Each structure stands twice: as C-alpha cells, then as structure tokens.
Amino acid sequence: MTTLLTGLIGSGIGFSLSPVMHEREAAVLSHELRYDLWDLHALGASPGDIGDLLLRARDAGYRGLNITHPCKQLVLAHLDTLSPDAAAIGAVNTVVIGEDGLAGHNTDWTGFRRGLVDGLAGAPLDRVVLVGAGGAGAAAAYALLDLGTERLDVVDADPDRAARLAADLDPYRVRGGRLTELPTLLGHAHGVVHATPVGMADHPGQAVPGNCLRPDLWVAEIVFRPLHTALLAAAAEAGAVFLDGGRMNAHQAADAFRLFTGLEPDPSRMYAHLRELVAPEVSRAPLSGALSPNPIERM
C-alpha cells in the first residue's frame, strides 16, 4: 500500500499534535499515512518561502499540507484555486495537492462550527461577542454568521483589525470594537468566543474577565493546550456552560483529513485522541516523531 504523504507548515510547531492525530486515524481506517512537520525555523526558511515549500512538497509527492501561523494569509498568493469559504475568510489552513494544482481550503471555520454544534447544542446564538480578530477569530466569525448569529461584536487589542474583519464579513451584522467595551458588550450577549493566544501554556492569563461571566452566558474557547484554560475555570465557577478548544481542533483536523484522503474520519475518535494526548502533558517533549530539518529527507 502506498503511503500518503501529508504534513504541516508553520513556525514553532515542534509540539504539534497533528501528526499523531492524523496518523492514528489513518491506522484505524487501515490506511498508510505519514504526517510530517515542516517547521520554518528548522528548515532555515522564512514565511515568504511558503510558495517554494509548497512546490517542494508537490514535487516530492505530497497529497496535501496544513498551514498555520504565520503563513495562513501569505499562502493565498501561491494557490491555483480557493474554496469560496477560504476566499471569504481570507485565510487558508489546508492545501490539497492534485492534478489541477494547489487548492486552498479553510477547515478552521468548519471545525469551529461543528465543534460548537456538537458541544453547545441548542445554545442561543443571536448575539455573540468575539474576542480576537486574527485568523482563528475570522474563522469563528464566519461560522457564527453561517449559524445565524444576528449581532456579532468583535473586540481586539487592535481596534482597526476588528473593524476590518467586520467590514469584510458583514458590516450589517458584525461590529468592530475595543477591548475596553468588553464588559458592556458581554452584558447584552448570549455567548462569548475567545480567539486569542492568551491562556496558552506560553501565554498565561485570561482575556475575558471572570466577573463578566454569568450562568446564562456560554463560553467557547479556541485554545486547547491546556485543554482547561483559566477562562474555562472561571466559566465553571460562574456556572456558565462552556466549550473547550479541543473540539474545534479535532473537527478541523478531521475535515482536513477528509480532504487529504477521501476517507471518512470519526471526529469523536480524533477528539478522544487529542484529550488523551493533552491530559498527561507535564514535559515539553514533542508528542510526535523527531522533527526533521528537511521532511523530504525522510522519504
């Protein structure tokens, strides 16, 4: 059986869970798949080299690559086709390599959407506050609008970025604002989505004040390492229902896996894999195989 070659391009990805998640799911489905890490620093490459790296992957026989920070926008200029959602969001996190060239997709938004529907079924979505207007925030915003959110307030440390996202997506339903407005906006919201790095292991803290949370305000987290962030602990203390970032991550991985392989993955199983991998994290050792300076050398 021919091994399907896939991977991830980004910076600082040595601790990514994607190789284990994709390779485990492929094994369960009796499929040979290898998922490599193309870390820009390890390769001696810069974000501007994303086009050359894609061509190297194509020439080496790769079926597809996930794309993460800082290349989700830079990759757009090097693709032959874009899915409508990726074009609307302005970011790509999955590139499928085929006979027709390089096709860009965004599974961040579908991952967030599916995770929200799975984990917070029936939650009111009419009025939501989004904290963070970066790539993850844009994907979450697109998903919320697709689910029928009537009013989405986006706040960001850079108010201009929040305003641009609002204008690009839907100036009638989306409004850009400042972080200082957060307490007031949350007072009128049904839910809040956190989409900044705050709360990650390397960025400790809490972007949404605990005293703004309440039992009838649901909380959705993008961060999944750690799986239970300070924000989710505060949500639990306030009696609010909440969604961890692992569901989005598992669903986006499942959607990318489907694009790469044509097989039907089990997102629930991939979420269970992720929880198993994250739970015992007490060291900083990579959870996947050793990071090669050049993934092509592993062929």
Side-chain angles (χ1 to χ4, degrees):
M1 183 181 296
T2 302
T3 300
L4 192 71
L5 302 178
T6 62
L8 172 68
I9 295 178
S11 180
I13 58 174
F15 300 97
S16 172
L17 303 178
S18 294
V20 180
M21 291 176 64
H22 282 254
E23 291 175 4
R24 277 190 179 184
E25 187 63 17
V28 171
L29 298 174
S30 301
H31 199 79
E32 293 288 338
L33 179 144
R34 196 180 83 202
Y35 193 104
D36 293 322
L37 297 178
W38 294 53
D39 186 274
L40 296 178
H41 179 73
L43 293 169
S46 69
D49 294 323
I50 181 65
D52 291 336
L53 294 176
L54 287 175
L55 294 180
R56 287 172 61 185
R58 181 199 65 186
D59 294 344
Y62 277 69
R63 172 59 178 163
L65 291 162
N66 285 130
I67 310 296
T68 191
H69 177 80
C71 299
K72 289 185 179 183
Q73 287 80 36
L74 293 173
V75 72
L76 296 173
H78 304 282
L79 303 175
D80 298 302
T81 60
L82 274 180
S83 65
D85 46 14
I89 296 169
V92 161
N93 78 317
T94 303
V95 176
V96 176
I97 304 172
E99 294 180 357
D100 296 328
L102 306 174
H105 301 266
N106 189 301
T107 69
D108 283 335
W109 89 270
T110 56
F112 180 81
R113 187 189 193 283
R114 295 178 198 274
L116 192 66
V117 171
D118 279 355
L120 292 178
L125 301 174
D126 294 345
R127 186 156 185 167
V128 180
V129 176
L130 172 64
V131 182
Y142 190 82
L144 287 164
L145 295 178
D146 185 69
L147 286 168
T149 295
E150 296 176 0
R151 170 65 180 267
L152 179 64
D153 289 291
V154 183
V155 298
D156 192 274
D158 180 354
D160 290 336
R161 183 164 71 163
R164 287 194 300 271
L165 178 59
D168 289 344
L169 288 181
D170 188 333
Y172 299 101
R173 288 194 288 163
V174 187
R175 174 189 172 274
R178 299 175 179 274
L179 282 174
T180 53
E181 299 179 73
L182 188 55
T184 301
L185 295 173
L186 289 176
H188 303 285
H190 294 111
V192 58
V193 178
H194 172 242
T196 83
V198 178
M200 295 174 62
D202 295 335
H203 296 82
Q206 186 176 321
V208 180
N211 59 9
C212 293
L213 305 179
R214 59 183 193 274
D216 63 335
L217 179 77
W218 57 261
V219 179
E221 175 70 274
I222 297 294
V223 173
F224 68 96
R225 297 180 79 180
L227 197 60
H228 298 290
T229 61
L231 172 59
L232 296 190
E237 184 175 351
V241 296
F242 58 86
L243 179 74
D244 67 59
R247 287 187 184 273
M248 173 188 176
N249 187 265
H251 276 285
Q252 71 81 18
D255 289 345
F257 182 94
R258 187 181 297 108
L259 289 168
F260 292 152
T261 67
L263 302 173
E264 190 59 39
D266 183 340
S268 296
R269 184 167 56 220
M270 296 183 78
Y271 178 53
H273 288 165
L274 183 146
R275 290 178 62 87
E276 177 188 340
L277 293 166
V278 172
E281 285 192 340
V282 293
S283 70
R284 299 298 293 171
L287 290 163
S288 58
L291 179 64
S292 170
N294 184 349
I296 296 177
E297 292 176 357
R298 289 180 51 186
M299 297 186 62

